Amino acid sequence: MNIPKLKRATIASEDGLRVWLKNNSDLAESVMLVTHSNPRSSKHVSTEQVANALTNSRWSAGRRYTLNDNLLGHVITLTA
């Protein structure tokens, strides 16, 4: 599987995700949000939390990629 080479933003909390989405609402290209996939990590942001935050923003979700055992990449794109 080829993981796309996109600008990456590492997110460590649900609040941080919401702030990032709001502050980057002018990006023209897709971005890979990187979250910690281990639910026992203090930096874990679940796939459901990402989906909910995207629903309440101008971003939409694309594919997800396992980047390693502890990181998950969510490809997101700004919608019109």
Side-chain angles (χ1 to χ4, degrees), residues 2 6 30 43 63 66:
N2 291 330
L6 300 171
S30 295
K43 297 179 181 180
R63 291 197 60 181
T66 300

Side-chain angles (χ1 to χ4, degrees), residues 23-76:
N23 290 343
N24 290 280
S25 62
D26 59 346
L27 291 177
E29 69 272 2
S30 295
V31 176
M32 184 170 298
L33 288 179
V34 179
T35 60
H36 293 262
S37 58
N38 183 346
R40 289 172 279 178
S41 169
S42 63
K43 297 179 181 180
H44 176 70
V45 180
S46 71
T47 301
E48 182 178 297
Q49 289 170 312
V50 171
N52 288 339
L54 294 175
T55 298
N56 296 320
S57 72
R58 294 179 43 214
W59 292 88
S60 63
R63 291 197 60 181
R64 286 189 304 269
Y65 297 90
T66 300
L67 303 177
N68 67 32
D69 290 339
N70 297 314
L71 298 176
L72 186 62
H74 310 260
V75 176
I76 64 169

